[in-house]
Amino acid sequence: MTIVTPSKSRAVLRAVDPGSMSDCAVCSQHIRFSAKVRPKQVIANVYEDGKWQRVEYFHSECYVTAGSPYGEPAS
Ligand SMILES: [Zn+2]
């Protein structure tokens, strides 16, 4: 039996863009850019049944609080 590895959900850690329009998938709060704090966000490409579904955004701390649902984010 051959197991074909499907495209898997994965997460990356990125700096928040100044024009960020994203809301956090955990706390529903806007992910706000700050030139002072330089916050990080986690961007996850979500795959279900090997097919790309959507992109989700998280505050980096919310992502950890949620138990890193898409694995350890790559930086
Ligand atoms: Zn959040």
Side-chain angles (χ1 to χ4, degrees):
M1 184 177 145
T2 308
I3 297 172
V4 178
T5 307
S7 297
K8 277 184 62 192
S9 302
R10 57 188 182 274
V12 293
L13 189 65
R14 291 275 182 270
V16 177
D17 298 322
S20 169
M21 301 281 285
S22 317
D23 293 331
C24 174
V26 174
C27 70
S28 303
Q29 299 293 306
H30 181 59
I31 298 172
R32 187 166 288 123
F33 171 78
S34 163
K36 262 189 206 158
V37 183
R38 298 263 168 196
K40 292 280 174 64
Q41 64 183 336
V42 174
I43 304 174
N45 277 286
V46 181
Y47 287 80
E48 284 167 10
D49 298 328
K51 288 200 281 285
W52 182 86
Q53 297 293 320
R54 64 190 176 273
V55 177
E56 289 185 355
Y57 299 86
F58 306 82
H59 298 109
S60 55
E61 62 272 26
C62 287
Y63 188 77
V64 172
T65 302
S68 302
Y70 303 116
E72 198 65 28
S75 48

